[in-house]
Structure formats: C-alpha cells, structure tokens
Amino acid sequence: MFKIDDPKNNYKNITHAFFLALAITIAEPSTVLPLMVHHFSDSVIVVGIFASLLRGGAIMVQLYAAFHAQAYRRVLPYLQKVFFFRFISWFMIGLSIYFFGEHHKTLTLWLIGIGLFFFSFSAGFGAIYFKELQAKLFSKKYRGKTMANRSIAGSIASIISGGVAGFVLQNFEAPMSYAYLFMVSSLFMVIGFATFVTIEEPSKENISTKEKDFRLFIKNAIKLLKQDKRLQQQILIIFLGFSYLLSMPFVILNANSSFTLTGWALGGFITIQMLGSIIGSTLLWRKLHNYENMLSLSFFFMILAFMVALFANNIYLYGIVFLLFGIAIDGFSISGMNLVIEIAPEDKRPVYTALQVNITSFGLFFPILGGLILKFVGSYTVIYLLTIVLLLVGFILSIRMDRDSYKII
C-alpha cells in the first residue's frame, strides 16, 4: 500500500539532489561556466549563449512532454530514460574537452554547446515528470519541507563540489581541468539518478485523455491559459524573476577584471553561494508554506544582491553578492514549483506545469541579451541597473498577485 509523505521517498529525493548538485555545480552558470567558455572564446555574447544553453534547451519540449504525460498513470519509467540521456550528454562534454581542448578551440566550443543543449533538452521532459512525482508523493506542507531538504542537501554537495573545483582549477592547467571535472562529476550524477528511480510511485487515477494530435493539444492548452487569470499572473511574475540572468553570468567576469581571481577564490564563491542556499532553506524556505510570500522574498534578496554588485570592488563584497544569489535562487525554484502544483487541477497538472515552465523558461535566454548589451554598451553598471528595474517590477507584481483566484476555470 502506497504511503503519502513516506520518509523513505523523502530520503531518496534528498539523495538525488545531493549527487546531482555534486555533479552540475562544476558548471555553475554564475562562476565556472563563464570562465570555461571565456577560455575558448573572448566574446561575452558567446558566454551569454552558453549560459542559456545549460538550461534553455528545455523550452522546446516542455509542452510536447506534457502532451504525453497527461495520460500517464506512472512517469518513473520515462524519467529513467531522461536520466540516462543526461548522463551521456554531460560525460561527452568532458570527453570532448579532453580529446580536442586547446588544439581545436572552435570544435571544442561547438561540442560543449551541443552537450549542454542536449543535457538541457532532456531536462525538458524530466521537469514535467519530476513535478508530477513530487505532487503524487508528498502533501503540500511536506512537499515544501522535502524541497527545502533537497535544497539543503544540494547546497552541501555544492560546497564540497566548489572545494573540489577550486582544487582542480588551481592545480591543473585549463582546459584539462574542465575535462576532469566534467568526466568525474558525471559518475556522481549516476549515483543520484540510480537512487531516485527506486522511489515507489503510486498509479494516478485521475488522468486526461490524450488529444488526437499535438496541434489540438496546443490549441486546448492555449485556451486553458486564456481562461486562468491566476496562471497568467504567475507566469509573468516568474518570467520577470529570471531577469537576474541578464547579469548574473557576467558578475564573475567583472570580478575577474577587478582583482586576481584564483582557482581557490572561484571555488570559494561557489561555496559561499551554496551557503546562502543552506541559510535560505534552513531559516526561511523550509518554514514558509505561503509560496506567494516566498516568491516576493526571493525578488527582494535578488534585488539586494545586484545593489551590492553595483559597488563591489573586492572579494568580500563579491562574497556577499554570491551569498544573496544562493538565498534568492532557491526561493525562486521552490516557490515556482509549488505555486503551479497548488493551482493546477490533478488531471491537468502536467499541462499547467508545462505552460508555466515553457513560457517562463524564455527567461533563460536573458544572458544572451545581457551579453549583447555588454558588448555594445561596455558597461556592467548598465546591465546591473536594468536587472534591478526588471526585478523591482516583478517584486511589485508578486505583492499584488491575486491570492484568491485559484482555479478560475
């Protein structure tokens, strides 16, 4: 007999988060990834593109995944295939750097981009299945706790990963250091995936009948979106939340131009960001079950981070910036996932999830816009100020969001 809020599923959920974070932190888009891409290309636009590729590939398949998932009684068998594809994509990035690296920079850059795209592309399917599992396995109150626990576990793993990344980057020459990090981290990724697929998943009774074709599904999804004003509000606000990506990938480049950025300093920033995540999840997000307020607080901390970044000129002030990044990013992630689960009817949950994630994920391309502005304006201050303005708009809208408009349709 299936038991909701089963502690065993919580532990497996946390273990998955720990080992996944241990792996992917080595390509964190605010620290290592911009420097790695910058090694192969001097263009800040290319840095912005690659920061988007790490997560932006998921946009293309969210709705298609939901088209099929709405009729699935169980999603875990499909998630297993996603995990395998993500592992292969990640491992191949390291392999490409190892074999081509310094001697074929353009080819290496293309292969890194392809690997990041497919890693992100497969996550588009995984995001739908993952949120469906979280909704089936845990109640509202327990889900907030287990997601905060995931965040804490992932942050602890990221601190370890940051230390390892700092050691490798300090003691091995680039780009071989990046190759080692990707290949070794992919093995840790496998441990998390293997643990998660042993979760006991209940069969879903209330499912939707799949439309005859994908075009009809899109038509119905658009109709649903037009009818649900709360979903529209939520999507706009969460999209504005992603505006921090307009500047975040370039903060580390600005720091690198202000003082000598050693491997240990880079690893330290990763550690500080993850400490922020732990502090946020332990003191705030784990105890806060009002996800609208969580979203507003996330905006506040992110705005504060960029206000500090405007005046940062030493390693200590940048440490504060990355600490605030860690607090805010986790708040955005936890609140966004839970808000869509809360307002979605059970049979339409994959469709609601896909609509929100698919549309808001266009915000993942903010780094490209940031790179273009930085290229032609040449001022970090300009992109920081623009980011603050967009975040302020999101913050104001989040406070004014209709808290009583659930399930208008």
Side-chain angles (χ1 to χ4, degrees), residues 311-325:
F311 305 100
N313 58 5
N314 58 61
I315 195 169
Y316 304 107
L317 287 176
Y318 276 102
I320 294 173
V321 171
F322 283 99
L323 183 77
L324 292 169
F325 279 166

Side-chain angles (χ1 to χ4, degrees), residues 252-271:
I252 197 69
L253 299 183
N254 194 15
N256 197 32
S257 65
S258 302
F259 53 87
T260 302
L261 190 61
T262 64
W264 286 119
L266 182 59
F269 285 147
I270 295 173
T271 299

Side-chain angles (χ1 to χ4, degrees), residues 8-30:
K8 288 188 292 186
N9 286 337
N10 178 44
Y11 297 143
K12 291 174 182 178
N13 206 21
I14 293 169
T15 302
H16 168 250
F18 180 85
F19 284 101
L20 183 61
L22 196 63
I24 65 174
T25 299
I26 64 101
E28 221 290 321
S30 64

